[in-house]
Coordinates of all heavy atoms in Angstrom, one line a residue:
P355 N -12.1 -6.4 -21.1 CA -10.9 -6.7 -20.2 C -10.0 -5.5 -20.2 O -9.7 -4.9 -21.4 CB -10.3 -8.0 -20.8 CG -11.3 -8.6 -21.5 CD -12.2 -7.5 -22.1
A356 N -9.5 -5.0 -19.1 CA -8.6 -3.8 -19.0 C -7.4 -4.1 -19.9 O -6.9 -3.1 -20.5 CB -8.2 -3.6 -17.5
L357 N -6.8 -5.2 -19.8 CA -5.5 -5.4 -20.5 C -5.8 -5.5 -21.8 O -4.9 -4.9 -22.8 CB -5.0 -6.8 -20.0 CG -3.4 -7.0 -20.4 CD1 -2.6 -5.9 -19.7 CD2 -3.1 -8.3 -19.8
L358 N -6.9 -5.9 -22.5 CA -7.2 -5.9 -23.9 C -7.3 -4.5 -24.3 O -6.8 -4.1 -25.4 CB -8.5 -6.6 -24.2 CG -8.9 -6.6 -25.6 CD1 -7.9 -7.3 -26.5 CD2 -10.3 -7.4 -25.7
V359 N -8.0 -3.6 -23.5 CA -8.1 -2.2 -24.0 C -6.8 -1.5 -24.0 O -6.4 -0.7 -24.9 CB -9.0 -1.5 -22.9 CG1 -9.1 0.0 -23.2 CG2 -10.4 -2.1 -22.9
L360 N -5.9 -1.8 -23.0 CA -4.6 -1.2 -23.0 C -3.8 -1.7 -24.2 O -3.1 -0.8 -24.8 CB -3.9 -1.6 -21.7 CG -4.4 -0.9 -20.4 CD1 -3.8 -1.6 -19.2 CD2 -4.0 0.6 -20.5
L361 N -3.9 -2.9 -24.5 CA -3.1 -3.4 -25.7 C -3.5 -2.8 -27.0 O -2.7 -2.3 -27.9 CB -3.2 -4.9 -25.8 CG -2.5 -5.7 -24.7 CD1 -2.9 -7.2 -24.8 CD2 -1.0 -5.6 -24.7
V362 N -4.9 -2.6 -27.1 CA -5.4 -1.9 -28.4 C -4.9 -0.5 -28.4 O -4.4 0.0 -29.5 CB -6.9 -2.0 -28.4 CG1 -7.4 -1.1 -29.4 CG2 -7.4 -3.4 -28.5
V363 N -5.0 0.3 -27.3 CA -4.6 1.7 -27.2 C -3.1 1.8 -27.6 O -2.6 2.7 -28.5 CB -4.9 2.4 -25.9 CG1 -4.3 3.7 -25.9 CG2 -6.4 2.4 -25.7
L364 N -2.3 1.0 -26.9 CA -0.8 1.1 -27.1 C -0.4 0.6 -28.6 O 0.5 1.2 -29.1 CB -0.1 0.1 -26.1 CG -0.2 0.6 -24.7 CD1 0.5 -0.5 -23.8 CD2 0.4 1.9 -24.5
T365 N -1.2 -0.3 -29.2 CA -0.9 -0.7 -30.5 C -1.2 0.5 -31.5 O -0.4 0.7 -32.5 CB -1.8 -1.8 -30.9 OG1 -1.4 -3.0 -30.0 CG2 -1.4 -2.3 -32.4
A366 N -2.3 1.2 -31.2 CA -2.7 2.2 -32.1 C -1.8 3.5 -31.9 O -1.5 4.2 -32.8 CB -4.1 2.6 -31.8
A367 N -1.4 3.9 -30.6 CA -0.9 5.1 -30.2 C 0.6 5.0 -30.0 O 1.3 6.0 -29.7 CB -1.6 5.8 -29.2
G368 N 1.2 3.8 -29.7 CA 2.6 3.7 -29.4 C 2.7 3.4 -27.8 O 1.7 3.6 -27.2
V373 N 1.5 8.1 -23.3 CA 0.3 7.1 -23.7 C 0.1 6.1 -22.7 O -1.0 5.8 -22.4 CB 0.8 6.5 -25.1 CG1 -0.2 5.4 -25.5 CG2 0.8 7.5 -26.1
L374 N 1.2 5.6 -22.1 CA 1.0 4.6 -20.9 C 0.2 5.2 -19.8 O -0.7 4.5 -19.3 CB 2.4 4.1 -20.5 CG 3.1 3.1 -21.2 CD1 4.6 3.0 -20.7 CD2 2.4 1.8 -21.2
I375 N 0.5 6.4 -19.4 CA -0.2 7.0 -18.3 C -1.8 7.3 -18.7 O -2.6 6.9 -17.9 CB 0.4 8.4 -18.0 CG1 1.8 8.2 -17.4 CG2 -0.5 9.1 -17.0 CD1 2.6 9.4 -17.1
V376 N -2.0 7.8 -19.9 CA -3.3 8.0 -20.3 C -4.2 6.7 -20.5 O -5.3 6.6 -20.1 CB -3.4 8.8 -21.6 CG1 -4.8 9.0 -22.2 CG2 -2.7 10.2 -21.4
A377 N -3.5 5.7 -21.1 CA -4.2 4.4 -21.4 C -4.6 3.8 -20.1 O -5.7 3.3 -19.9 CB -3.3 3.5 -22.2
T378 N -3.7 3.8 -19.1 CA -4.0 3.2 -17.8 C -5.1 3.9 -17.1 O -5.9 3.3 -16.4 CB -2.8 3.2 -17.0 OG1 -1.6 2.6 -17.6 CG2 -3.0 2.4 -15.7
A379 N -5.1 5.2 -17.2 CA -6.2 6.0 -16.6 C -7.5 5.7 -17.3 O -8.6 5.6 -16.6 CB -5.9 7.5 -16.8
I380 N -7.6 5.5 -18.5 CA -8.8 5.2 -19.3 C -9.5 4.0 -18.8 O -10.7 4.0 -18.7 CB -8.5 5.0 -20.8 CG1 -8.1 6.3 -21.4 CG2 -9.7 4.4 -21.5 CD1 -7.8 6.2 -22.9
V381 N -8.8 3.0 -18.4 CA -9.4 1.8 -18.0 C -9.8 1.9 -16.6 O -10.6 1.0 -16.0 CB -8.5 0.5 -18.1 CG1 -8.2 0.3 -19.6 CG2 -7.2 0.6 -17.4
R382 N -9.3 2.8 -15.8 CA -9.9 3.0 -14.4 C -10.9 4.0 -14.2 O -11.6 4.1 -13.2 CB -8.6 3.4 -13.5 CG -7.5 2.4 -13.5 CD -8.0 1.1 -12.9 NE -8.7 1.2 -11.6 CZ -9.5 0.3 -11.1 NH1 -9.6 -0.9 -11.8 NH2 -10.0 0.5 -10.0
A439 N -4.1 -0.9 -8.9 CA -4.4 -1.4 -10.3 C -3.6 -0.8 -11.2 O -3.1 -1.5 -12.2 CB -5.9 -1.2 -10.5
A440 N -3.4 0.5 -11.2 CA -2.4 1.2 -12.1 C -1.0 0.6 -12.0 O -0.4 0.3 -13.1 CB -2.4 2.6 -11.9
L442 N -0.1 -2.5 -11.1 CA -0.1 -3.9 -11.7 C -0.3 -3.9 -13.2 O 0.3 -4.6 -13.9 CB -1.2 -4.7 -10.9 CG -1.0 -5.0 -9.5 CD1 -2.2 -5.7 -8.9 CD2 0.3 -5.9 -9.3
L443 N -1.2 -3.0 -13.6 CA -1.4 -2.9 -15.1 C -0.1 -2.5 -15.9 O 0.3 -3.1 -16.9 CB -2.5 -2.0 -15.4 CG -4.0 -2.5 -15.2 CD1 -5.0 -1.4 -15.3 CD2 -4.2 -3.6 -16.1
M444 N 0.5 -1.5 -15.2 CA 1.8 -1.0 -15.9 C 2.9 -2.1 -15.8 O 3.7 -2.3 -16.8 CB 2.2 0.3 -15.2 CG 1.4 1.5 -15.6 SD 1.9 3.0 -14.8 CE 0.7 4.2 -15.6
S446 N 2.5 -5.2 -15.7 CA 2.0 -6.2 -16.7 C 2.4 -5.8 -18.1 O 2.9 -6.7 -18.9 CB 0.6 -6.5 -16.6 OG 0.2 -7.0 -15.3
L447 N 2.2 -4.6 -18.5 CA 2.5 -4.2 -19.8 C 4.0 -4.2 -20.0 O 4.5 -4.6 -21.1 CB 2.0 -2.7 -20.0 CG 0.4 -2.6 -20.0 CD1 0.1 -1.1 -20.1 CD2 -0.1 -3.3 -21.3
V452 N 5.2 -4.4 -24.1 CA 4.5 -3.4 -24.8 C 4.5 -2.1 -24.1 O 3.9 -1.1 -24.5 CB 3.1 -3.8 -25.1 CG1 3.0 -5.0 -26.2 CG2 2.3 -4.2 -23.9

Side-chain angles (χ1 to χ4, degrees):
L357 198 56
L358 176 61
V359 175
L360 286 172
L361 291 174
V362 171
V363 173
L364 294 176
T365 301
V373 173
L374 279 171
I375 293 172
V376 172
T378 309
I380 287 174
V381 299
R382 297 303 307 166
L442 292 176
L443 284 170
M444 289 179 175
S446 299
L447 292 172
V452 294

